[in-house]
Amino acid sequence: MAAAGAPAGVAGRSKVAPSVDFDHSCSDSVEYLTLNFGPFETVHRWRRLPPCDEFVGGRGFGGLGKTMLNDLLRFDVKDCSWCRAFTTGTPPAPRYHHSAVVYGSSMFVFGGYTGDIYSNSNLKNKNDLFEYKFATGQWTEWKTEGRLPVARSAHGATVYSDKLWIFAGYDGNARLNDMWTIGLQDRELTCWEEIEQSGEIPPSCCNFPVAVCKDKMFVFSGQSGAKITNNLFQFEFKEKIWTRIPTEHLLRGSPPPPQRRYGHTMVAFDRHLYVFGGAADNTLPNELHCYDVDSQTWEVIQPSPDSEVKRSLFGFVDRLWTYFGITTVKQPPTADSELPSGRLFHAAAVISDAMYIFGGTVDNNIRSGEMYRFQFSCYPKCTLHEDYGRLWENRQFSDLEFVLGEKEERVRGHTAIVTARCKWLKKKIMQARERLKQKDGIGGNVKLCRLQPLLEVPIREAEAQPFEVLMQFLYTDKIKYPRKGHVQDVLLIMDVYKLALNFKLSRLEQLCLQYIEASVDLQNVLIVCENANKLQLDQLKEHCLNFVVKESHFNQVIMMKEFEHLSSSLIVEIVRRKQQPPVRTHSDQPLDIGTSLIQDMKAYLEGAGIEFCDIILLLDGHPRPAHKAILAARSSYFEAMFRSFMPEDGQVNISIGEMVPSKQAFESMLRYIYYGEVNMPPEDSLYLFAAPYYYGFSNNRLQAYCKQNLEMNVTVENVLQILEAADKTQALDMKRHCLHIIVHQFTKVSKLPNLRSLSQPLLLDIIESLANHISDKQCAELGSDI
């Protein structure tokens, strides 16, 4: 499967002031980008491409039409045209529900269902393997010695580490969940090998997709009988271990995983998996779901405003190839844009930075020959949570120390992060500061200097271990999911849950509750129930009691040794609950899921954190209060400055190289630093285009957004503001681009009020550009009019 990855950036040393020498390891993925000017495809735009009806009569590429097919068609993406592919040799027999993958300059077809489906004769699954060489058009069947995978159809297939990997499928009698692999480098020396899988192996299933992302194989949903779920599983190739990816960390109200489904597609691009189509509980949805492998979160991709909206698809070079249901594409010029309708058993492939969808079965069991293109976005990931997480782990620039419980264990932290995230702890910190002022006889605000001792904040209500988990949440919005079978992990999360209730952290409270409820099983339910009773966690206790009295659980639970050691009051509650279950009531009150790290840091920058500022940023002499720990967490430039030569007066002049940004652009940069915001006016993007390179941000996400903002959003309405910014920042390419727009749209630009406020040199530049644009003929015409 041809899958595009992240651009291979070359690490470059960030530009810094000569006296600053810092470690560049946290910004080693920053690549300096350059501007290019259109035309460009809109991010997240769907486009309808020419269908294949001319060749296949509306039935798609091969596969299952009026009869099973074994034709091979290709779509040339440069010419935007379909044609039959040249073939020699004996092709595979007509079939469908087979798999096809690309390795090197060949396509490999495995298995599938053959025979006459309409006469119901000679129907059988296959386990043959064929190679098609793109250069010669030659079909060759691979004959190998030794054991073969059982014949199958509707299985998953992918290529990794020079091998073809086959997983699960249907053998004609039952669904499978075995895995086989075969080397593709030399057919004379290779053979099939069954993989001994371990871990949380997916249930036997068929009609599901697989995709490889970041050296792991992913499987999502599929037909698995009564066990059909919307679980996502990942397979570690090296360890050969399966893991079910939990969804319990997805708070209620956040985007959920896609519905369970079959006949859908899933492709990998950059760090994301994209799921489209399929049959979901008797519906054919057409939303595009995106899973972020790094953050383990789902979202539904909203198509761009200018979008309107079973085969195997694969990419090779610049063509789409289709083998009786198999497809392989650069953007063809089409005027219309449409969203694809819901469908199943279609094909999907990634070519360059776009996904292509072909064919499938649409409403009323109609087989489609349509093709669509979806433009991916490929911005570097947001590192906000990771940057703050690193700050928590290394505790650099800590300015306070919590003294916990009766043992007075000590945990360090940062005033800025803690006070931004938790009002209860903020109150405790303010009380500690007040005590310090009274003790030292200091009036007004506490003066924070470089060598000031840590502020001690006593918290008698917490022990160190659960408090550290809570602190990790404040910095990252995440906590570790309990390991399966480790009851101590669950008990620790229960202690964290108790703290979250006491500290009024609604988001952490819901996260802990979801984790614990998802971890409760027959082996730990009594321990969890007793601990919930002890900690007075009533909602969790209720969940455990309901779990125990379930018909399928009750007899097993009461026969356990642990049941004999329960407190008598709990035993009575269980017995009464079994005899007379309480009436369940549903609250209409909306669930409070609290505020996120991004929301809290946004509010902090906008004024909630003003009293805790400990650094002054000077922009052209104008002061802007800020927070040292936040700046250091997000920028290696500030981290090095505060570590090596923190100014005694606590003031830092701000520039980007030799250029001082505008106040508006500087505020845009602070929004990015504090909470990862990348939306800004195009003129701000011009000032900040070099900021990631200069300030040593973890990656060039900000620069990538600035680049797209400048390339896509220079309009007649804002061209004069961007011209001024380009002139000030010496961005000559952008200045020429703006002058080009002004010259060609001068009738409109001349009516803009900002034109009169331009400097004299810029007005002269515009006049010169206009003069160069006017042809000799136009000059002659103008002269004759004088």
Side-chain angles (χ1 to χ4, degrees):
M1 197 75 176
V10 178
R13 288 187 63 86
S14 299
K15 295 179 181 176
V16 297
S19 55
V20 180
D21 183 22
F22 60 83
D23 180 10
H24 296 263
S25 59
C26 66
S27 56
D28 58 2
S29 61
V30 173
E31 176 190 9
Y32 197 81
L33 305 178
T34 57
L35 292 172
N36 302 291
F37 298 108
F40 298 98
E41 181 56 285
T42 306
V43 167
H44 294 170
R45 183 179 186 181
W46 283 101
R47 280 187 180 270
R48 172 183 268 180
L49 304 181
C52 64
D53 298 359
E54 178 183 350
F55 287 96
V56 296
R59 57 172 166 75
F61 298 109
L64 182 61
K66 293 181 179 179
T67 60
M68 290 191 196
L69 306 166
N70 67 345
D71 52 351
L72 180 61
L73 307 176
R74 82 176 190 187
F75 181 83
D76 191 302
V77 300
K78 292 181 178 177
D79 300 334
C80 199
S81 61
W82 289 103
C83 67
R84 295 195 180 277
F86 171 75
T87 64
T88 63
T90 303
R95 64 189 67 197
Y96 75 111
H97 281 327
H98 51 283
S99 61
V101 297
V102 166
Y103 172 73
S105 58
S106 296
M107 171 180 70
F108 290 85
V109 173
F110 173 79
Y113 201 50
T114 67
D116 188 342
I117 193 169
Y118 291 99
S119 66
N120 201 31
S121 63
N122 198 30
L123 295 174
K124 61 180 179 180
N125 284 304
K126 303 288 284 184
N127 62 352
D128 47 5
L129 177 63
F130 284 82
E131 178 185 9
Y132 175 80
K133 292 184 179 295
F134 293 115
T136 63
Q138 177 74 38
W139 279 109
T140 307
E141 182 176 2
W142 280 37
K143 300 286 189 180
T144 57
E145 301 291 331
R147 293 176 61 213
L148 300 177
V150 65
R152 68 192 66 204
S153 57
H155 52 280
T158 192
V159 170
Y160 179 78
S161 188
D162 301 318
K163 294 181 179 180
L164 169 66
W165 299 74
I166 300 294
F167 176 69
Y170 182 67
D171 68 1
N173 297 307
R175 298 179 182 92
L176 310 167
N177 69 343
D178 58 340
M179 183 183 290
W180 292 76
T181 188
I182 184 172
L184 299 178
Q185 290 182 304
D186 189 341
R187 69 175 180 173
E188 302 298 330
L189 301 176
T190 193
C191 62
W192 284 100
E193 174 192 357
E194 184 172 10
I195 298 299
E196 186 175 336
Q197 308 167 77
S198 61
E200 300 172 281
I201 303 173
S204 56
C205 58
C206 61
N207 289 320
F208 62 92
V210 301
V212 174
C213 184
K214 304 190 79 167
D215 296 318
K216 299 180 181 67
M217 181 172 71
F218 293 84
V219 169
F220 175 73
S221 201
Q223 283 181 299
S224 51
K227 297 179 182 178
I228 184 170
T229 68
N230 65 342
N231 283 330
L232 179 66
F233 293 88
Q234 74 176 21
F235 178 74
E236 300 271 0
F237 285 103
K238 292 181 181 178
E239 292 80 12
K240 299 180 174 56
I241 296 175
W242 283 101
T243 306
R244 182 188 72 85
I245 297 177
T247 57
E248 289 74 25
H249 65 286
L250 303 177
L251 290 174
R252 296 174 180 91
S254 60
Q259 292 171 264
R260 61 183 187 175
R261 62 191 63 204
Y262 68 91
H264 51 295
T265 55
M266 179 170 68
V267 299
F269 178 73
D270 192 26
R271 64 185 185 278
H272 297 113
L273 302 173
Y274 292 86
V275 174
F276 179 79
D281 295 330
N282 299 318
T283 65
L284 294 177
N286 72 335
E287 300 95 350
L288 180 61
H289 296 265
C290 177
Y291 177 77
D292 189 313
V293 173
D294 290 337
S295 65
Q296 295 192 337
T297 55
W298 287 96
E299 67 171 319
V300 175
I301 299 295
Q302 297 302 318
S304 67
D306 50 357
S307 295
E308 306 187 19
V309 176
K310 164 121 182 204
R311 308 194 156 278
S312 303
L313 182 65
F314 62 87
F316 177 72
V317 193
D318 58 354
R319 295 180 176 88
L320 273 171
W321 295 79
T322 299
Y323 173 63
F324 36 97
I326 301 170
T327 299
T328 357
V329 184
K330 204 162 171 183
Q331 160 70 26
T334 56
D336 297 330
S337 301
E338 296 179 354
L339 290 171
S341 60
R343 60 196 62 216
L344 73 160
F345 300 136
H346 51 287
V350 173
I351 310 295
S352 185
D353 58 354
M355 174 178 68
Y356 294 82
I357 297 288
F358 167 72
T361 299
V362 295
D363 288 339
N364 300 319
N365 206 31
I366 297 172
R367 294 186 177 89
S368 167
E370 298 169 318
M371 178 118 72
Y372 293 88
R373 179 189 192 274
F374 176 78
Q375 177 65 47
F376 289 126
S377 61
C378 48
Y379 303 117
K381 68 178 181 179
C382 176
T383 62
L384 183 79
H385 301 75
E386 294 176 12
D387 291 342
Y388 287 146
R390 254 195 319 270
L391 184 68
W392 160 246
E393 289 168 7
N394 61 38
R395 315 293 165 94
Q396 195 171 29
F397 306 114
S398 295
D399 55 3
L400 57 83
E401 191 170 56
F402 293 102
V403 183
L404 304 168
E406 294 180 0
K407 296 180 181 178
E408 296 192 345
E409 296 175 281
R410 294 173 180 265
V411 173
R412 292 187 176 187
H414 303 84
T415 299
I417 304 294
V418 176
T419 55
R421 303 289 333 263
C422 181
K423 292 180 180 178
W424 193 92
L425 288 174
K426 176 181 176 181
K427 184 178 178 181
K428 291 286 186 180
I429 290 170
M430 292 179 72
Q431 291 171 350
R433 295 179 89 180
E434 189 62 33
R435 285 194 297 271
L436 181 62
K437 283 193 290 183
Q438 292 174 357
K439 177 182 176 182
D440 295 342
I442 303 173
N445 290 332
V446 178
K447 184 179 179 182
L448 299 175
C449 64
R450 185 177 177 183
L451 300 177
Q452 184 177 352
L454 298 175
L455 178 70
E456 290 192 358
V457 184
I459 308 288
R460 302 302 178 196
E461 300 87 342
E463 299 300 325
Q465 192 176 10
F467 186 79
E468 287 194 335
V469 175
L470 180 143
M471 289 286 284
Q472 180 192 30
F473 169 81
L474 296 184
Y475 283 72
T476 65
D477 250 1
K478 294 186 292 188
I479 57 174
K480 282 187 178 179
Y481 186 73
R483 293 168 295 174
K484 192 175 182 65
H486 289 70
V487 68
Q488 291 303 320
D489 287 7
V490 181
L491 296 179
L492 172 60
I493 299 298
M494 292 178 72
D495 290 335
V496 178
Y497 178 44
K498 181 72 174 178
L499 286 181
L501 289 170
N502 292 342
F503 293 2
K504 295 179 173 53
L505 289 168
S506 300
R507 193 176 186 86
L508 179 58
E509 174 190 333
Q510 292 300 321
L511 192 58
C512 291
L513 190 60
Q514 289 176 200
Y515 275 21
I516 298 165
E517 289 181 354
S519 301
V520 169
D521 55 28
L522 288 170
Q523 282 68 46
N524 64 29
V525 62
L526 294 178
I527 299 172
V528 174
C529 186
E530 192 158 40
N531 199 46
N533 188 51
K534 174 186 172 185
L535 296 174
Q536 298 180 330
L537 303 176
D538 296 336
Q539 188 173 348
L540 187 55
K541 176 183 170 183
E542 189 74 12
H543 174 80
C544 292
L545 291 175
N546 290 333
F547 182 94
V548 168
V549 300
K550 276 187 179 178
E551 198 67 38
S552 57
H553 298 161
F554 185 73
N555 288 338
Q556 297 179 68
V557 172
I558 63 173
M559 297 303 293
M560 291 178 177
K561 195 74 175 173
E562 292 86 352
F563 187 77
E564 301 173 11
H565 302 294
L566 278 185
S567 64
S568 56
S569 59
L570 264 183
I571 293 176
V572 170
E573 280 194 73
I574 291 171
V575 173
R576 287 177 177 171
R577 171 87 40 132
K578 181 63 178 174
Q579 294 299 317
Q580 190 174 2
V583 178
R584 293 194 176 185
T585 58
H586 296 281
S587 173
D588 294 330
Q589 293 285 2
L591 182 68
D592 178 16
I593 61 169
T595 52
S596 67
L597 174 66
I598 290 174
Q599 291 170 322
D600 288 339
M601 299 313 293
K602 181 176 186 290
Y604 207 66
L605 177 65
E606 292 175 351
I610 189 66
E611 62 188 305
F612 298 102
C613 290
D614 54 3
I615 191 76
I616 299 295
L617 303 178
L618 293 175
L619 181 72
D620 210 12
H622 299 286
R624 177 58 160 98
H627 304 86
K628 206 165 48 173
I630 293 173
L631 298 175
R634 298 279 282 149
S635 161
S636 54
Y637 175 88
F638 285 118
E639 186 271 332
M641 176 182 289
F642 301 150
R643 176 164 43 85
S644 59
F645 60 94
M646 174 65 192
E648 291 298 328
D649 61 358
Q651 296 187 354
V652 177
N653 285 300
I654 293 298
S655 65
I656 300 175
E658 300 299 320
M659 182 267 301
V660 176
S662 68
K663 183 182 178 187
Q664 178 179 284
F666 177 57
E667 289 297 326
S668 291
M669 187 174 79
L670 285 179
R671 287 193 293 273
Y672 176 77
I673 290 174
Y674 273 68
Y675 57 95
E677 178 62 66
V678 291
N679 294 315
M680 66 186 75
E683 56 268 29
D684 291 5
S685 295
L686 195 55
Y687 284 107
L688 301 184
F689 186 65
Y693 191 65
Y694 182 81
Y695 282 105
F697 296 151
S698 294
N699 61 17
N700 62 355
R701 177 180 173 85
L702 177 62
Q703 191 183 38
Y705 271 93
C706 290
K707 172 181 166 69
Q708 193 223 7
N709 200 11
L710 290 167
E711 292 170 345
M712 303 284 291
N713 296 319
V714 182
T715 66
V716 170
E717 288 72 24
N718 63 25
V719 67
L720 295 179
Q721 294 95 305
I722 297 174
L723 177 66
E724 285 187 295
D727 184 64
K728 185 175 181 181
T729 59
Q730 292 298 296
L732 300 183
D733 286 346
M734 177 55 74
K735 183 176 179 180
R736 280 192 292 268
H737 182 59
C738 291
L739 289 171
H740 177 82
I741 293 174
I742 291 169
V743 164
H744 286 82
Q745 300 287 336
F746 190 71
T747 304
K748 296 178 181 178
V749 173
S750 64
K751 298 175 183 178
L752 295 175
N754 291 349
L755 184 63
R756 295 180 178 275
S757 62
L758 288 182
S759 65
Q760 184 182 19
L762 281 180
L763 288 171
L764 291 173
D765 287 338
I766 293 174
I767 293 171
E768 183 180 356
S769 299
L770 283 167
N772 293 334
H773 177 69
I774 297 174
S775 66
D776 292 340
K777 182 180 178 182
Q778 288 172 315
C779 287
E781 290 173 353
L782 287 172
S784 65
D785 292 338
I786 297 175

